[in-house]
Amino acid sequence: MVNKLVDYATTKIISSFTPSIDNIFLKEGIFIEAGIIENMAQTVALHTGYTYFLKGEEPPTGYIGSIKRVTINKLVGIGEQITTEANILHEIMGVTLVEIKVKNAHSEEIAIGEMKTVIASPNE
């Protein structure tokens, strides 16, 4: 649910995504709420994966620990690009808390939320 890495920093990432006609999160041509939440999660995963890529290491498996305070104000349709920004609020012992904002092509904030992700232990 991410097409492009737009910007990266140690505490922030911006991705973009454009839903296509074959996307599983489309209903009657509209990219539904579950798709936006999946885009949020994939943006956070992109940050972790790219961080490990820069270190020359294999990225770990991660999981969504929790999703809270998600508000979706507007949906987009097929071919409408969204831009997702995740800002890391706290990171400790493999647990990361991020604030995520999603905007449409007109820079309108269409969704906001917080997500906690967890890196799997090496044995998993």
Side-chain angles (χ1 to χ4, degrees), residues 32-121:
I32 62 173
E33 292 87 344
I36 292 174
I37 292 170
E38 182 63 25
N39 167 262
M40 290 173 156
Q42 291 297 320
T43 298
V44 175
L46 178 62
H47 185 273
T48 301
Y50 194 66
T51 299
Y52 277 80
F53 170 78
L54 291 174
K55 294 191 288 187
E57 298 177 15
E58 189 71 25
T61 300
Y63 301 97
I64 297 171
S66 67
I67 301 170
K68 64 183 197 177
R69 289 191 271 254
V70 172
T71 303
I72 299 176
N73 300 312
K74 192 173 188 178
L75 300 174
V76 297
I78 296 169
E80 293 183 63
Q81 180 177 295
I82 58 174
T83 302
T84 305
E85 180 177 331
N87 289 289
I88 297 173
L89 303 175
H90 304 286
E91 187 170 22
I92 185 166
M93 296 173 41
V95 178
T96 305
L97 176 64
V98 295
E99 178 186 60
I100 308 162
K101 295 178 182 177
V102 183
K103 295 182 179 181
N104 64 14
H106 306 291
S107 297
E108 298 172 302
E109 190 172 273
I110 64 168
I112 188 167
E114 284 186 12
M115 191 173 289
K116 190 179 292 183
T117 61
V118 181
I119 299 294
S121 66

